[in-house]
Amino acid sequence: SMGSESEEEFYVTFMQMVADKMVNDHEPRNGVMKNAILAERAIAERKLSALEDSRKFLKSEVLRLDKSNELLKKQIEKTNEIFKNMRDQRSKAVKYLKDESSAMTLLMIDSQVLEGRKHLEGLEEELFVNNERKCDQLKKDIADNQRFMYDQHDMVNKIDAKIAGLSETRTIAAPIKSFDPLPRKRGQTVVVTALLGLLFGMMFVFFLEIHKKARLLKNTN
């Protein structure tokens, strides 16, 4: 703003009041915006923490599945050894098949072999079918979890960028008097002077005309 040097204190004080009012007016709005962004970041952080927990759980599931496979392999190996012994016993029983007692023994061995075969098939199905399916599902879940974590990290980074971009309204510098007075433009001075001169000249001519008419009217009377 422009003013006379004698009113410097008034102008500086007035501009400072305007700046203070603007800062105070913007402060609640900036606070609300910042709190909203911080709340958004907290939600994003909780989602990221949940995904991290899921990642740990999936890793534990992979370890448990590996241990389950090792156990199944041992059970299958042990069952095969039992089958071998049963086949040897059956071969011996067939050689000594002479009476009803040996026939019953052979039937019992055959029944055990049948039950053992069913057990072995169940173990092999669990190892080569069910656990393979679980393994594939775990791989998919781990890949999905990793993608979700990347996306959530990007979300947190975007929110951090918003927070970094926030800035409170403030005055860059306190109002001060300019170092050099503003120069008057010569063209403006000439125009204003010419207009004032024309106005006063017309008023003077109008006044003389009225005065002349008044004198003529007086002489006629």
Side-chain angles (χ1 to χ4, degrees), residues 9 16 25 29 53 62 64 72 78 81 84 137 147 150 154 159 162 171 188 195 197 201 203:
E9 184 177 354
Q16 185 62 57
D25 184 61
R29 301 177 188 178
D53 292 339
V62 170
R64 281 191 285 269
L72 287 171
K78 186 175 182 180
E81 290 178 359
K84 184 178 182 299
Q137 184 63 45
R147 283 192 294 270
Y150 284 147
D154 290 340
I159 295 173
K162 287 183 181 179
T171 53
Q188 291 180 351
L195 290 175
M203 291 175 63

Side-chain angles (χ1 to χ4, degrees), residues 182-191:
L182 293 175
R184 293 181 179 179
K185 295 182 179 180
R186 182 172 300 177
Q188 291 180 351
T189 304
V190 172
V191 172

Side-chain angles (χ1 to χ4, degrees), residues 1-12:
S1 61
M2 293 184 294
S4 61
E5 188 173 2
S6 60
E7 295 176 323
E8 174 188 349
E9 184 177 354
F10 166 76
Y11 274 93
V12 170

Side-chain angles (χ1 to χ4, degrees), residues 130-141:
N130 296 338
N131 280 11
E132 284 295 325
R133 186 183 299 112
K134 291 178 183 178
C135 182
D136 292 339
Q137 184 63 45
L138 280 174
K139 288 179 180 179
K140 180 182 180 302
D141 292 342

Side-chain angles (χ1 to χ4, degrees), residues 21-217:
K21 183 171 179 58
M22 184 181 297
V23 170
N24 293 334
D25 184 61
H26 285 197
E27 184 175 357
R29 301 177 188 178
N30 290 341
V32 170
M33 185 181 299
K34 185 174 183 179
N35 289 336
I37 296 176
L38 289 175
E40 184 181 356
R41 190 185 192 284
I43 294 173
E45 283 286 352
R46 286 196 294 271
K47 289 182 179 179
L48 189 59
S49 178
L51 288 170
E52 179 64 26
D53 292 339
S54 296
R55 186 182 70 85
K56 293 178 181 179
F57 172 76
L58 291 171
K59 289 180 66 176
S60 299
E61 284 291 289
V62 170
L63 292 176
R64 281 191 285 269
L65 186 61
D66 289 340
K67 291 180 180 180
S68 175
N69 288 339
E70 291 177 4
L71 180 61
L72 287 171
K73 288 177 181 178
K74 289 179 179 179
Q75 289 178 344
I76 290 172
E77 184 179 354
K78 186 175 182 180
T79 303
N80 283 325
E81 290 178 359
I82 294 173
F83 270 158
K84 184 178 182 299
N85 292 332
M86 285 183 178
R87 286 194 296 269
D88 293 341
Q89 291 176 6
R90 189 180 187 283
S91 298
K92 292 178 181 179
V94 170
K95 290 180 180 179
Y96 297 100
L97 184 61
K98 296 179 179 179
D99 51 21
E100 292 182 358
S101 176
S102 58
M104 289 295 296
T105 302
L106 183 61
L107 288 174
M108 289 177 60
I109 294 174
D110 288 340
S111 177
Q112 291 177 352
V113 169
L114 181 62
E115 290 296 325
R117 181 170 289 109
K118 290 181 179 179
H119 179 63
L120 179 61
E121 289 174 354
L123 293 175
E124 290 177 340
E125 181 180 3
E126 186 68 19
L127 176 62
F128 299 112
V129 179
N130 296 338
N131 280 11
E132 284 295 325
R133 186 183 299 112
K134 291 178 183 178
C135 182
D136 292 339
Q137 184 63 45
L138 280 174
K139 288 179 180 179
K140 180 182 180 302
D141 292 342
I142 290 172
D144 290 341
N145 176 267
Q146 191 65 50
R147 283 192 294 270
F148 292 151
M149 288 190 69
Y150 284 147
D151 293 341
Q152 203 60 32
H153 274 298
D154 290 340
M155 180 65 69
V156 172
N157 291 336
K158 289 178 181 178
I159 295 173
D160 287 341
K162 287 183 181 179
I163 296 174
L166 287 177
S167 60
E168 298 180 356
T169 303
R170 65 187 187 279
T171 53
I172 298 176
I176 58 172
K177 172 188 172 184
S178 61
F179 295 109
D180 298 319
L182 293 175
R184 293 181 179 179
K185 295 182 179 180
R186 182 172 300 177
Q188 291 180 351
T189 304
V190 172
V191 172
V192 172
T193 303
L195 290 175
L196 289 175
L198 180 62
L199 178 62
F200 286 129
M202 292 177 64
M203 291 175 63
F204 183 73
V205 171
F206 182 73
F207 176 78
L208 290 179
E209 187 68 21
I210 292 176
H211 182 67
K212 182 178 179 180
K213 288 182 179 180
R215 288 184 62 186
L216 289 174
L217 184 60

